[in-house]
Amino acid sequence: MFETLQPLPADPILGLSAAYRADTNPKKVDLGVGVYKDAAGSTPVMRAIKKAEEHLCQEQVTKAYVAPVGLGEYNETVAKMLLGEDLLRSLGRRRVTVQTPGGCGALRMAADFIRKANKQATVWVSDPTWANHVPLLGSAGLGIEKYPYYDYDKHSVRFDEMLDTLQQIPVGDLVLLHGCCHNPSGADLSREQWQSVRDIALSQGFTVFIDTAYQGLGDGLEEDAYGIRLLAESLPELIVASSCSKNFGLYRERTGALTVTCTSDQSAAAAITLLAAAARANYSMPPDHGASIVQTVMSTPELYADWQEELAEMRNRINGLRSMLVSRLAESEVDTDFSFIEQEKGMFSFLGVGKEQVKKLINEYSIYLVNSSRINVASINENNVDYVVESILAILE
Ligand code: LMR
């Protein structure tokens, strides 16, 4: 029965890590998968996370099953981080949050949930969007369409064209937005643009679905939640898939959440039963360790303060790396203006080079980046920046 199976090509993002590991060039640089790296090129366990783990090791008294919706306290903590205390209170029981296996688990749960509400639903994703959005949501049976988003020539959001498309999207469809630090472009909506999207969502009646995986890595924990909070406060319904992979550095612990706001307490009470059933049918219950760590950090004042401090260090370091890359490129002989990289947010930006040039960077210079020319800025450091700049210069010649 398996004899006819054909191997699939490598994953466009995760496949790069395997290729990078196999490369023996001592100068190799991995600008592929979105993980934070420190000045030494490692992805450390954050200080507060380590302490919370030690605490859990000592204090946790059971490994008995958790509920399909996960740890209740964690769900409330995540909802508070996303929505803020006041909004959380005013939404009351119209809002439900469930723990999921990472942000991907949240997206997949959202897809199952959407299908239960409307089998015909189409999700409109930004063009471009994160490489896994389409397979992940599409394989759950949702229709996928694109709205214009990034202008590769102007290095900015094609906002007028985006609005033109949003104006055609009907009730029953969903528009997937990135909460902050747009992946892959790093180009975010301004506050005014979020407000315009809110106005169109209200007039058109489509449902907004936000994916947020980088809260705290753009402008700050509160600042990065602006769009989510604006829409949660003004729209009758909203879906938010969130991840603790990057801002807590919990990548492999698969720690995420799905938050849904409904028009009434009754609909939200129904929604939570559907979400619990979807979890049970897919994986029964989410893994506990990451969520327990997050809960411990967020409920222990010293750990919370230290986590916020380290998150700010990470954010500032990434922004510093953006400036460093731009200034080193400007100092080199390169003709292209890369200053846009400094304006973009989070881990990613497009280098803005073609597919052949990306191939050259990988094959001839051992610099690994996504086919679209997306780079993970957080992987650049003092030791590799000169080589990265030299190589970019070489492929542009
Ligand atoms: C990325 O975009 O590189 C990360 O979100 C990791 C992933 O799963 O693709």
Side-chain angles (χ1 to χ4, degrees), residues 11-14 31-35 104 130-132 183-184 213-214 245-246 251 254 347-348 370 374 376:
D11 180 89
I13 296 174
L14 300 182
L31 304 181
V33 68
V35 292
C104 283
W130 176 47
N132 204 28
N183 179 2
Y214 298 88
S245 293
K246 329 275 169 166
Y251 310 89
R254 311 312 299 139
M347 288 190 184
F348 309 115
V370 182
R374 186 196 83 168
N376 174 15

Side-chain angles (χ1 to χ4, degrees), residues 77-366:
T77 296
V78 167
K80 192 160 115 191
M81 187 170 125
L82 291 172
L83 300 167
E85 213 156 347
D86 294 344
L87 180 56
L88 195 64
R89 201 172 312 114
S90 71
L91 288 168
R93 292 175 186 278
R94 278 181 51 215
R95 184 270 324 164
V96 289
T97 301
V98 300
Q99 183 190 327
T100 57
C104 283
L107 290 163
R108 176 63 202 217
M109 284 278 278
D112 285 357
F113 176 71
I114 293 163
R115 293 262 300 162
K116 288 276 186 276
N118 176 15
K119 256 202 157 32
Q120 309 306 325
T122 291
V123 177
W124 293 73
V125 301
S126 61
D127 179 15
T129 195
W130 176 47
N132 204 28
H133 272 149
V134 173
L136 201 159
L137 301 171
S139 67
L142 291 169
I144 308 282
E145 293 280 353
K146 290 180 184 166
Y147 59 86
Y149 189 79
Y150 188 71
D151 186 323
Y152 293 87
D153 296 325
K154 297 196 183 121
H155 308 289
S156 59
V157 178
R158 294 158 71 186
F159 195 63
D160 290 342
E161 291 160 75
M162 171 176 169
L163 284 194
D164 285 347
T165 305
L166 297 195
Q167 254 141 7
Q168 329 268 326
I169 298 180
V171 177
D173 278 4
L174 295 101
V175 173
L176 182 63
L177 302 167
H178 298 222
C180 62
C181 307
H182 184 267
N183 179 2
S185 71
D188 281 345
L189 297 179
S190 67
R191 292 189 170 200
E192 294 69 35
Q193 290 172 334
W194 275 106
Q195 290 157 17
S196 304
V197 170
R198 182 255 336 255
D199 294 344
I200 296 189
L202 278 171
S203 62
Q204 284 298 112
F206 57 72
T207 301
V208 176
F209 177 6
I210 300 179
D211 184 9
T212 192
Y214 298 88
Q215 188 180 350
L217 288 167
D219 291 321
L221 274 170
E222 300 298 307
E223 294 83 344
D224 293 347
Y226 175 81
I228 296 175
R229 293 180 188 178
L230 178 79
L231 299 191
E233 147 181 272
S234 4
L235 300 181
E237 297 179 339
L238 182 72
I239 301 178
V240 183
S242 59
S243 166
C244 299
S245 293
K246 329 275 169 166
N247 48 11
F248 288 86
L250 282 170
Y251 310 89
R252 64 174 63 172
E253 300 295 353
R254 311 312 299 139
T255 311
L258 181 65
T259 296
V260 179
T261 63
C262 301
T263 47
S264 68
D265 295 4
Q266 288 78 1
S267 304
I272 194 96
T273 65
L274 288 168
L275 293 169
R280 182 71 170 140
N282 277 303
Y283 48 77
S284 202
M285 66 209 54
D288 172 71
H289 192 60
S292 282
I293 291 171
V294 169
Q295 182 50 25
T296 304
V297 168
M298 301 297 268
S299 61
T300 312
E302 312 87 84
L303 296 187
Y304 179 52
D306 190 36
W307 168 70
Q308 280 190 302
E309 200 178 304
E310 194 169 359
L311 181 63
E313 287 164 19
M314 287 159 65
R315 174 172 67 245
N316 294 336
R317 183 178 140 70
I318 295 175
N319 289 333
L321 293 172
R322 287 185 175 278
S323 306
M324 177 168 85
L325 178 63
V326 169
S327 65
R328 297 285 172 101
L329 281 162
E331 284 158 20
S332 73
E333 303 289 284
V334 73
D335 284 338
T336 318
D337 176 11
F338 285 99
S339 58
F340 63 90
I341 292 178
E342 216 171 345
Q343 314 310 321
E344 294 174 341
K345 303 281 176 201
M347 288 190 184
F348 309 115
S349 276
F350 287 121
L351 212 45
V353 301
K355 296 215 180 332
E356 283 310 310
Q357 289 161 316
V358 170
K359 262 195 207 151
K360 264 192 169 176
L361 278 172
I362 298 177
N363 297 335
E364 293 175 27
Y365 297 90
S366 299

